[in-house]
Amino acid sequence: MKNVTKSIALILLCLCLFPMFANTSSAAEGIKITVEEGIDGKVKEERGFPITVTVQNGAEHFKGDIVFDYAQSFESGGGRVLSIDLPPGETRTFSLTIPGFGDPLRGNTSKETIHLFKGDWKSGKEVKFTGDKRLNPNFIYMDYASIGLLSKDADRLKSLKASQVYGNKVEALNLSEKNFPGDATGLQMFDFIVIDGFDLSLFSKKQLDALHRWVDKGGTVLIGSDVNVQKTLGPLADIAPLKVDGEQTLSDLSFLETQKNLKVNVKTLSAIEGELTPESEAVIGEKENPILAKKSIGRGEVWQASFLLSDSQLNDWAGFTPWINEFYSKTKYSNNSYNMGGRAQGFYYEMGMVNELFPSNQFKVSTLILVVAVYLILVIPVLFFLLRKFDKREQSWWIIPTVSILLSIGIFLTGAKDRVTKPHMNQMSILEADGKGAVQGISAFTFFSNSSGDYTLSAGHDLELYANNSMNAPEFDQYKYSLDEVTRNTTDTTLRDVEYWSTRTVMGDAYKSDAGSFSPQLSLKDKTLTGSIGNDFPYDFEEVYLWSGTRTYSLGGVKAGQSLEVDKKVSVDYLSSPVSNNSIPPSFTGQQGLDDQRKQSLEQVSSYLMEEEASGNRPVIFGYTKDGIVDVTMKDRKPKKDNLSLVYQSIPSMGDFNGPFSLKNEQLDVEVKPIDGKVIDNYSMNGSGEMELEDGTYEMILKLPEQMQESDISLNSLSIRQYPETPLEFSMIAPSDGKEKKLEEQSSNTFEVKDRLTDYLNEDGEMVIKFVKSTQGNSYTQLPKIVLKGEAKQ
């Protein structure tokens, strides 16, 4: 009878609970999610992109979180949170950005990457919904150049759409005020943005700020001009290189002819008359009447033509596309782009892993031997005699174990006291100072947990963090590892289910607009560097260095707001851009060893960034500070922090160089640009000269150190020694008329030039050598060894 009663009660309980389950199911299934990825459904591999999310609620009031999995690479990923609150029957549209969608998520098309939670994600109550279950964009591959078009008539930009960037095909996408992202992460998918006759006053402040920030981080903008361009640029007119003074008609259009067989057939061209804005330079045309000008903004560039790029006459002429191709070759374009997500793997292995090293509280062997010896002496003879003297030997059963336990607890607390009370956090940053107050670069933050559970790191929007998840399998749900919640002022990254006494690393792009700068007043004469370096940062630098070529010179420390007096002997007569010496890391031990290892890692990675961002052929000064320049906070916890930042800034010319010189590859700042070919990969960092090139024609640009460029230079000899594994054909290009001089092999794999060599040096201190590669499919290329000799006179 009792069993029957229990069965009836259980059935009644199930009947009572069933409506609750039914309501939950219907509420969840009443939600429909539709997602539009990127621009026109397209995104670029491993780059950030915008998404538009439309949510329909066909049931009862719903409040919860939508989580989107993302992964720029196998080393970087997580989930991005969108909080929604929808009354019954409502449809709402939301915009947000996704940091990247790479191979870990693309490979498994059956894996859902969109998750819906009732309440919030912390509740863990994931519910069903209808509509799109995963992000499914069309990809622009990394070897394509992506261009965003802001134009009132984008269809007229035919030549631009048919162009090639460094031999790479172009994917051009139309932008407008309706689909333009509201933050810089959403613009990562573009290599260039073209503005041609578009009225930017239609943009919101968030969209204008996003464009400005994207340029700051390394983006390139090309502006086409008409007489109304300043008005249509609106608030962004201050970053344009030209200021409109009037209108003109150009009749000499020879500047458009980039190929001998494509003579310009346009008789006149409407253009603006303009003057250069501060810190701008004329690239084509005279300084008083520029035709093409550029201005550096942070790591990026803004270029401006004095005419509309959509001019119908130009776009009907076959020679305009090669002109646009030539324009690309003048820019800082890089296939990798300055974007943490796409390069997270390399940065993590070279910098992040070192940041995960924490000092260990270990006893020395001698200390352990002493502790054991004292323990044995205390427990065996001392306790034995004491207990016998007081006739308490029967108490040894608890006294000896108690002493052992207390001693063990003491040893444990000595070694673990710092790790038990609070988490530890290491921060490493590499920051480039622009000399105007702003710094930007990359940062790594690693914490060592003192307990298990979730840890939330909060950063301002100037610091974009991505969690390293190299321990995850590709099929693992990214959101179960880390989650990002973007608020008005911060982005909160929650690392989930962190184990006891374990490490987690987040890395990202850092930026600070008001950090400060160095103020160098230096000169170099007779191999002696003299002058001063003002520290206009609010940070103390424990050591400041000069870096030229493969050598660094310690100059001393300097406190915030003070100056460092310099009187230093160096080993060279002229200074050039930094090159890593690729030395084998020494063996490090102890805390001092950790500091040295971190510094060597920072210098190695910074040499890559310096080479990518090289402007001229200049040395740099850099310093180490343990003050927190960029920072994150840990929610509900106060970690013990250990900061180390490398801050570097290029040095302007230090006076004219006078005397003979002999320059090799590493002092010449060698750059390779395709004419009719393609750069597949460039791992020639640090002077190694190794690249992957398709068969084709290329320009190899040799740039003298900036310190020599104001001197009267005469060149005596040029020696080019190529590697027999990658034979190349060489010719020199005269800057005056573009004529070529083919070089003949003087001896085995060696080319030498001595006659009228100075004629091939342009006013910017550059020499252009064209080479043809034809190795029938073997893309590996070793650049030749170069020695350029001459003399500089003041």
Side-chain angles (χ1 to χ4, degrees), residues 2-77:
K2 290 182 178 180
N3 291 336
V4 173
T5 303
K6 289 181 180 179
S7 299
I8 294 173
L10 182 61
I11 293 170
L12 291 174
L13 178 62
C14 292
L15 290 173
C16 291
L17 292 176
F18 179 77
M20 296 173 60
F21 292 116
N23 287 338
T24 300
S25 176
S26 62
E29 292 176 355
I31 298 294
K32 181 179 179 180
I33 298 174
T34 306
V35 181
E36 181 180 342
E37 302 93 342
I39 306 298
D40 293 336
K42 295 181 179 180
V43 307
K44 191 157 187 179
E45 288 183 300
E46 301 180 348
R47 305 266 194 95
F49 58 90
I51 63 172
T52 302
V53 185
T54 302
V55 185
Q56 297 173 271
N57 183 10
E60 64 183 36
H61 189 281
F62 186 88
K63 186 176 183 180
D65 288 338
I66 307 174
V67 176
F68 300 88
D69 282 335
Y70 70 85
Q72 303 99 321
S73 68
F74 286 103
E75 268 65 36
S76 177

Side-chain angles (χ1 to χ4, degrees), residues 195-212:
I195 305 173
D196 189 76
F198 185 87
D199 188 357
L200 289 179
S201 67
L202 299 172
F203 275 15
S204 67
K205 184 179 184 303
K206 284 182 65 177
Q207 290 173 317
L208 292 171
D209 289 345
L211 179 57
H212 203 307

Side-chain angles (χ1 to χ4, degrees), residues 307 539 675:
F307 52 89
Y539 317 112
I675 298 174

Side-chain angles (χ1 to χ4, degrees), residues 258-477:
T258 58
Q259 297 180 14
K260 294 179 180 179
N261 61 333
L262 289 173
K263 295 294 182 181
V264 64
N265 60 7
V266 179
K267 293 183 178 180
T268 61
L269 183 64
S270 296
I272 64 167
E273 283 185 344
E275 62 181 27
L276 293 172
T277 58
E279 300 180 355
S280 300
E281 63 178 285
V283 180
I284 297 178
E286 302 299 325
K287 183 177 180 180
E288 296 74 20
N289 188 23
I291 295 172
L292 180 67
K294 76 170 180 177
K295 184 175 186 177
S296 294
I297 305 291
R299 288 182 178 270
E301 296 177 330
V302 177
W303 291 72
Q304 188 171 5
S306 64
F307 52 89
L308 282 174
L309 303 170
S310 57
D311 185 281
S312 57
Q313 296 180 93
L314 291 179
N315 284 274
D316 289 338
W317 172 52
F320 192 46
T321 294
W323 185 87
I324 294 174
N325 295 345
E326 181 71 16
F327 155 75
Y328 295 135
S329 70
K330 295 179 173 67
T331 69
K332 287 183 176 180
Y333 170 77
S334 167
N335 227 10
N336 289 322
S337 181
Y338 190 78
N339 143 45
M340 167 58 66
R343 301 193 295 176
Q345 178 175 348
F347 283 147
Y348 173 70
Y349 288 130
E350 294 167 350
M351 180 176 162
M353 291 182 72
V354 176
N355 203 45
E356 292 176 350
L357 300 176
F358 288 83
S360 59
N361 296 321
Q362 296 179 343
F363 290 112
K364 297 179 180 178
V365 174
S366 57
T367 304
L368 288 175
I369 293 174
L370 180 61
V371 170
V372 173
V374 171
Y375 171 75
L376 293 174
I377 293 172
L378 178 66
V379 170
I380 299 175
V382 174
L383 278 178
F384 175 77
F385 287 112
L386 284 174
L387 293 175
R388 189 176 68 170
K389 181 178 180 180
F390 293 101
D391 197 19
K392 298 291 184 180
R393 282 173 289 181
E394 70 277 6
Q395 301 297 323
S396 62
W397 69 269
W398 67 269
I399 293 177
I400 293 177
T402 300
V403 171
S404 301
I405 291 171
L406 291 175
L407 186 62
S408 299
I409 291 174
I411 294 173
F412 173 79
L413 291 177
T414 301
K417 60 182 178 180
D418 288 338
R419 301 185 178 204
V420 171
T421 55
K422 60 176 62 177
H424 288 203
M425 183 181 291
N426 287 342
Q427 176 264 319
M428 292 170 62
S429 294
I430 300 171
L431 302 168
E432 180 185 15
D434 65 1
K436 304 172 188 175
V439 297
Q440 62 180 310
I442 58 175
S443 292
F445 296 85
T446 301
F447 66 84
F448 187 88
S449 66
N450 67 321
S451 62
S452 59
D454 291 351
Y455 284 72
T456 299
L457 304 180
S458 183
H461 293 319
D462 284 341
L463 183 60
E464 300 175 36
L465 296 178
Y466 309 118
N468 172 268
N469 60 357
S470 56
M471 64 183 68
N472 280 0
E475 67 273 14
F476 194 84
D477 289 322

Side-chain angles (χ1 to χ4, degrees), residues 168-231:
N168 297 309
K169 294 182 179 179
V170 160
E171 183 77 41
L173 301 174
N174 295 337
L175 293 169
S176 69
E177 71 277 8
K178 295 180 180 179
N179 65 3
F180 198 88
D183 66 63
T185 302
L187 291 172
Q188 283 181 2
M189 62 179 285
F190 293 110
D191 297 302
F192 297 88
I193 290 179
V194 174
I195 305 173
D196 189 76
F198 185 87
D199 188 357
L200 289 179
S201 67
L202 299 172
F203 275 15
S204 67
K205 184 179 184 303
K206 284 182 65 177
Q207 290 173 317
L208 292 171
D209 289 345
L211 179 57
H212 203 307
R213 181 73 186 100
W214 175 79
V215 176
D216 265 332
K217 293 180 64 176
T220 300
V221 170
L222 173 60
I223 301 171
S225 303
D226 60 14
V227 72
N228 297 313
V229 66
Q230 278 181 237
K231 181 180 178 180

